[in-house]
Amino acid sequence: MGKDFDGNTVVFSFTISHSLYTCPGCHGAIEVGGEHTLVRYVEPDGEAWHQHWHRDCARNLEREMKHLQTRPAAELQGRRGPKTGRRR
Ligand SMILES: [Zn+2]
């Protein structure tokens, strides 16, 4: 989960396709019954849509987004527990 450069919230999840999709990343087909990544976008005003990506293509997308804004899981965990390691 992250934010893209338009300020939209982007959520990645794995899913199985029930019909034939075209991947926006490579414009290739995603076969019926194939595991792929569902990418959901939520705009700041609440409007949402989704796209179907190959897992590999979505990974590239994810990597691009991480350049813009990163929320590492370690940071969230550090807030909850005392396991930050800052004190010796
Ligand atoms: Zn693709």
Side-chain angles (χ1 to χ4, degrees):
M1 183 165 161
K3 298 243 183 189
D4 73 2
F5 36 93
D6 292 325
N8 303 325
T9 302
V10 187
V11 184
F12 295 87
S13 56
F14 291 119
T15 187
I16 306 285
S17 54
H18 297 291
S19 55
L20 199 68
Y21 298 111
T22 303
C23 170
C26 67
H27 300 285
I30 299 169
E31 286 177 17
V32 178
E35 257 187 61
H36 66 283
T37 304
L38 179 71
V39 185
R40 286 193 296 139
Y41 294 88
V42 183
E43 291 182 0
D45 61 7
E47 204 164 312
W49 75 93
H50 63 265
Q51 291 176 328
H52 298 269
W53 290 69
H54 289 121
R55 282 190 293 178
D56 286 345
C57 297
R59 219 167 280 151
N60 293 333
L61 180 73
E62 217 171 324
R63 216 171 286 145
E64 277 177 31
M65 283 180 24
K66 277 177 183 171
H67 278 289
L68 299 156
Q69 189 167 350
T70 312
R71 276 192 195 177
E75 187 187 289
L76 296 170
Q77 284 168 0
R79 278 183 195 166
R80 280 189 184 178
K83 208 178 171 185
T84 53
R86 281 191 184 174
R87 293 194 180 187
R88 279 176 220 172

